[in-house]
Amino acid sequence: MEAREKRLIFPFSAIVGQEKAKLALLCVAVNPLIGGVLLKGDKGTGKSTLVRALANVLPEIEVVADCSFNCNPMNPLEMCDSCYERYENGEELPTSKRKMRVVDLPLSVTIDRLVGTIDVERFLKEGKKALQPGILAEANRGVLYIDEVNLLDDYIADSLLDAAAMGWNTIEREGISFRHPARFILVGSMNPEEGDLRPQILDRFGLCVEVSAPMNPEDRIEIVKRVEEFHEDPISFYKKFESEEKKLTEKIVKAKELLPKVEISDDLLKLLAETVINLSIKTNRAEITTIKTAKAIAALNGRRRVSLEDLEKAMELALPHRLRDRPFQKPPQMKPPKPKDDKKHNHDHKHNHKHEHKKEEKSERRNQKSRSQGIGNLEQNFRSSEAKIPKIESKNFGSNDFTGYRSSRDVSITVVNFPKGIPVSYLPPKDEIRDVDFYNSTIWAVLNGKKPPIKLELKDVRVRVRKAKAPTLWVLLLDSSGSMAVKRRISIAKGIAEKLVENGYIKKSKMALIVAKGKEAEVFVSPTKNYWEVFEKIESVPTGGRTPLSSALYNLLLLANRERMKDKSVKVRAFLITDGKANVPLFGKRIKDEIIELAKALRKKGIELNIYDTNGKGINPGISYVPVLKEVANAKVFKV
């Protein structure tokens, strides 16, 4: 059966190109302590195929035959509580060999399925508390694969990180206390267009590879031919590459045996340390992971000493995703120095720095020339400037109509009878039963006089009450009219908008951008978790023209309605960055009347409005509609 399943998976050695990704996966197969691999790339580039194909070439491991946790019979430090107790009592543990597995972690996974829970069947039949292993148990000493890892819910990611960091999964619930090893190779794939990954999870991946489709016709033609051949007859196709697959497995086994004997010279260690310092990487994981990877590469090539080429390949896999200190910071260009090229490297760096400085001086002179010509309807493009913004507080909501599967870290919500979030209590069900708390349901049955084997009745059933994170949408409304060019207020406005994007990234909220300029406001970026897109659009927004404030508020209402049609539990927050001016009516009415009507609608729809008022004293005298919005829409106003 196992052999047939192998043949239905596209062979690892049949994948065209993607040499970096292949190397990274083979490295972690040789040394799981590297910490896993993250594959980043557009949809349809073969990320999932690569990981599933890895299962074909993974070697066998020796396990305790009658244990559900794949415990290592040769090492008591890698045994669950039950196996360790048997080992301490002098029992000879039965052993068997199993293939290393690739275990999928679905995005819809519950916390019980991940970490393990009460064995309900045994509890109902025998009245005994026993553990039902979760996905972390299945993945021990194997590969845990998370497709679209950037969309994983936070409470699941937190539990996963704890287990990955400690190498153990500890279960404390319903009177059961149990611990088992959770030492797995973490492999994730993601499409950057769907949002970034939390820094805590990103740093947990030892290696990161950008996966892209080949751009030469020959490779693309070969991919099509191989996929078609595989779909027509997978068994025959697998046989064509069977010998290559076996060679790869043998290569991994030999590399694992050779790995403890591989050495690296002090000169290469010093070179690595200098490179990491020059790139301003603060985490020590950078050097540790790079060394482990370089040794794995040398072992895969059958060598006992790490070469400069091995080290450079390892740097390309282990360093790029650690180059940013904070979200959206442009990373330094990664050029690992070579021993003989230090002087040339320094010269090139100075030349590039001087060139960039000249470009900035020219840009500033152009801006000064534009200002001297007056603002009026002239469009200008100002860069953002640093600005402080007040801390954005989260709110707690109580609701039973929570339907969102893509949570944020911004809004807490209490849900009943819905299988998402952390269990905090239980209640009798009021309608359809979806999230049964079997343990407490059984307790209620026992309290009602029933004895094992227990048969639950409707009156015994209890459903869970959970604390979850609701999906949120942050809408940035950026006033980019001509009046915002006075004293470069638009630069401050852009700085505020960019900091809001950074906060939205941390909170995992969807973001949208509406720009008010000219005759009507325009949705520059529709709701997305591609924060880079929002960030870059803010920088490119030109300044000039009139101020269609009414149009911006109207677009906000339309956007919120569309999102709530998809998911009624979405909480909408709006951030209006403006000097408060308005001179373009939307429906031909008085502007003030329009703004009052729109403000009432925002309040009625439960849209939270925050206003960053850029109109300081003596900057732009005239009527400001900020006080009207504050009073009617109950907006929070911050002077900047």
Side-chain angles (χ1 to χ4, degrees), residues 67-264:
C67 177
S68 304
F69 305 104
N70 299 320
C71 289
N72 185 351
M74 303 302 159
N75 187 351
L77 297 178
E78 294 181 18
M79 293 180 184
C80 67
D81 288 351
S82 177
C83 288
Y84 186 76
E85 186 178 345
R86 292 163 66 188
Y87 171 82
E88 284 287 283
N89 292 334
E91 182 181 337
E92 186 174 340
L93 298 173
T95 64
S96 64
K97 287 194 173 184
R98 295 179 192 166
K99 285 282 292 181
M100 285 179 72
R101 295 180 57 201
V102 175
V103 178
D104 288 294
L105 182 73
L107 293 178
S108 59
V109 69
T110 63
I111 195 74
D112 290 346
R113 180 70 185 98
L114 178 70
V115 303
T117 186
I118 293 290
D119 188 332
V120 176
E121 186 177 352
R122 189 172 174 186
F123 191 68
L124 291 175
K125 288 181 178 178
E126 304 173 20
K128 294 180 180 178
K129 293 177 183 177
L131 181 72
Q132 185 176 32
I135 287 177
L136 292 179
E138 295 173 27
N140 183 40
R141 301 180 69 204
V143 177
L144 182 61
Y145 175 50
I146 314 168
D147 194 10
E148 307 296 352
V149 62
N150 49 327
L151 302 181
L152 197 65
D153 281 330
D154 267 7
Y155 72 101
I156 296 292
D158 291 338
S159 299
L160 186 63
L161 283 177
D162 286 343
M166 303 298 295
W168 292 89
N169 178 36
T170 303
I171 304 163
E172 298 277 355
R173 60 194 312 167
E174 285 98 10
I176 283 185
S177 179
F178 192 84
R179 193 175 77 135
H180 70 80
R183 304 183 182 198
F184 46 81
I185 300 167
L186 186 61
V187 179
S189 63
M190 61 174 278
N191 181 351
E193 289 182 359
E194 294 173 339
D196 289 310
L197 202 58
R198 283 172 57 193
Q200 298 94 322
I201 302 179
L202 184 62
D203 194 46
R204 190 62 61 199
F205 288 101
L207 310 178
C208 181
V209 182
E210 297 281 347
V211 179
S212 58
M215 285 293 109
N216 67 75
E218 291 79 12
D219 283 350
R220 295 180 81 99
I221 291 168
E222 184 61 25
I223 289 170
V224 173
K225 285 181 177 178
R226 290 190 182 187
V227 170
E228 284 296 302
E229 189 180 345
F230 174 73
H231 287 161
E232 286 172 10
D233 189 352
I235 295 176
S236 297
F237 186 79
Y238 178 80
K239 284 180 178 177
K240 280 178 64 176
F241 292 91
E242 191 169 15
S243 61
E244 289 297 319
E245 297 287 277
K246 286 180 180 177
K247 284 179 186 177
L248 274 175
T249 304
E250 291 169 6
K251 190 175 182 180
I252 292 171
V253 171
K254 288 177 181 177
K256 286 170 80 74
E257 293 171 356
L258 182 62
L259 186 65
K261 303 171 186 174
V262 177
E263 297 177 349
I264 184 168

Side-chain angles (χ1 to χ4, degrees), residues 150-153 192-196 406-409 471-472 504-505 507-511 526-534:
N150 49 327
L151 302 181
L152 197 65
D153 281 330
E193 289 182 359
E194 294 173 339
D196 289 310
R406 294 287 174 264
S407 66
S408 74
R409 306 181 70 205
T472 56
Y505 161 79
K507 300 284 188 181
K508 289 188 72 176
S509 293
K510 268 189 173 182
M511 305 287 298
S526 297
T528 181
K529 281 196 173 180
N530 185 353
Y531 306 99
W532 262 113
E533 182 186 359
V534 186

